[in-house]
Amino acid sequence: MVINVQKNSKENLSLLLSFLDCAIFGFSFLFSKQALVVATPFVLLAVRFFVAFAILNVLLLTGKFKINLKEKNIKSLLLLGLLQPIIYFICENFGVKFLATSFVGIIISLVPVTSLIFGTIFLKEKATSTQVIFIFLSVAGVFLTTLGQGSGNFSWIGFILLLGAVCSTSMFNVLSRKLSSEFSAFERTYIMFALGCITFVGIALVESMGNFQQLIVTPLINTNFWISIFYLSALSSVGAFFMLNYAMTYLEVARTSIFANVTTIISILAGVIFLQESFGIFQLIGSVIILASVYGVNKKAKSAVPESASYG
């Protein structure tokens, strides 16, 4: 009885963290847009993950967080870091350049669908028919929120790149879930950001060769840029990814990935509040559908998931 109570408590905390995680990601687009006024995408990513990795090292020095990688499957952990943030952010940044926002939102909304498929194949996790219906319903909700935004131009290159982002984040969800029995949430987050820092700092330095003053120095002396970096590094990187990795320890992939579409709602609200963007009936209906889908997927899961499904 005590074990069940502890498990339910951890699952409820994981659900809360999944929601907070996606809420933070939802506002990250606003801060990224502000930072990109003075910095290139790779310079932004370099500074973001450099600062985030520095924060993790400060946390490590406090002694409250520990890392023990001896005699563990390091190759799988390195693959985790390759999938997210490296492949995901490269595919997303370049995909967004080729496609209109409405297309981007719809394609990224496929993350719960691909995560469900990968979770079934690689983790043998089984979703109920009701969960599957709600997952596809959430995609329809995202589609509704994009109505009225204007379709813009379609690009196959952008489409393929964003599908790469969708697949990489879905595989990340599955792999993080699988590795949760061997590595702590902090260990997974630490290695992810170490690889992200090394990769993006290297790319940014190569990109800025011959124009270091304009591409590197100019952003670093801009106050608004550092405000964005604080949010993107401390909250949207360290905080959000740590919460996501924790949630993956106690929740099945289908239950955590469905929260990804909540990011769409938060992004819309951020645009309405801070950028005076429009919010119409389609956005309202779509948002309600997405929230109902998140509830539907997680409510049914409580009675449908066997005890042996836990990886934590």
Side-chain angles (χ1 to χ4, degrees):
M1 183 68 177
V2 175
I3 294 177
N4 286 334
V5 171
Q6 290 178 339
K7 181 183 177 183
N8 289 335
S9 176
K10 289 178 178 178
E11 286 188 357
N12 289 334
L13 175 59
S14 296
L15 289 171
L16 175 61
L17 292 180
S18 294
F19 178 82
L20 291 176
D21 163 72
C22 291
I24 291 172
F25 278 138
F27 279 100
S28 70
F29 295 107
L30 188 68
F31 287 93
S32 293
K33 188 174 182 179
Q34 177 176 282
L36 288 171
V37 172
V38 294
T40 67
F42 279 125
V43 169
L44 171 59
L45 288 172
V47 179
R48 171 180 178 174
F49 282 96
F50 179 85
V51 173
F53 187 54
I55 292 173
L56 286 178
N57 280 287
V58 171
L59 293 176
L60 194 61
L61 291 174
T62 64
K64 295 183 179 180
F65 298 90
K66 300 183 183 298
I67 291 180
N68 181 14
L69 304 179
K70 292 182 179 180
E71 299 180 358
K72 291 184 178 181
N73 187 6
I74 304 300
K75 290 183 179 179
S76 294
L77 195 58
L78 293 176
L79 177 59
L80 185 74
L82 178 64
L83 291 169
Q84 181 72 273
I86 297 173
I87 294 178
Y88 174 79
F89 277 101
I90 290 176
C91 288
E92 184 198 55
N93 273 315
F94 284 97
V96 168
K97 288 179 65 175
F98 290 103
L99 284 176
T101 303
S102 55
F103 287 132
V104 172
I106 294 172
I107 296 171
I108 295 298
S109 73
L110 295 176
V111 167
V113 178
T114 52
S115 294
L116 173 65
I117 295 172
F118 291 159
T120 301
I121 295 173
F122 297 108
L123 300 178
K124 309 303 180 186
E125 293 181 347
K126 296 181 179 179
T128 65
S129 57
T130 304
Q131 285 180 306
V132 174
I133 291 172
F134 274 116
I135 285 174
F136 278 97
L137 191 62
S138 73
V139 177
V142 173
F143 176 78
L144 277 176
T145 64
T146 65
L147 292 180
Q149 294 183 14
S151 58
N153 296 323
F154 180 82
S155 165
W156 279 107
I157 295 177
F159 176 74
I160 293 172
L161 285 170
L162 282 173
L163 276 186
V166 167
C167 290
S168 67
T169 197
S170 298
M171 283 302 301
F172 162 79
N173 290 339
V174 170
L175 190 56
S176 180
R177 171 81 169 146
K178 185 175 182 179
L179 295 179
S180 64
S181 60
E182 188 175 5
F183 299 97
S184 69
F186 185 82
E187 288 172 338
R188 281 172 276 159
T189 307
Y190 187 88
I191 296 302
M192 286 168 55
F193 286 6
L195 292 178
C197 176
I198 293 170
T199 301
F200 293 126
V201 167
I203 293 175
L205 289 175
V206 171
E207 180 187 49
S208 63
M209 290 178 63
N211 197 13
F212 190 83
Q213 173 71 31
Q214 180 65 31
L215 296 183
I216 301 294
V217 176
T218 299
L220 295 182
I221 60 175
N222 186 287
T223 303
N224 289 332
F225 178 78
W226 281 106
I227 292 174
S228 296
I229 288 296
F230 174 78
Y231 183 91
L232 294 171
S233 299
L235 295 180
S236 190
S237 293
V238 174
F241 276 109
F242 181 79
M243 288 189 285
L244 179 58
N245 281 323
Y246 179 91
M248 283 295 175
T249 305
Y250 301 103
L251 296 177
E252 298 73 45
V253 172
R255 298 177 67 186
T256 51
S257 61
I258 187 67
F259 281 94
N261 287 344
V262 172
T263 301
T264 301
I265 301 175
I266 303 300
S267 298
I268 291 173
L269 291 178
V272 171
I273 295 172
F274 297 103
L275 301 178
Q276 286 75 53
E277 294 179 351
S278 61
F279 185 83
I281 185 64
F282 290 120
Q283 284 71 39
L284 176 61
I285 295 174
S287 299
V288 171
I289 290 175
I290 292 171
L291 292 176
S293 299
V294 171
Y295 176 79
V297 168
N298 284 286
K299 181 157 191 316
K300 287 294 180 182
K302 292 184 178 180
S303 59
V305 177
E307 293 290 326
S308 59
S310 177
Y311 286 72

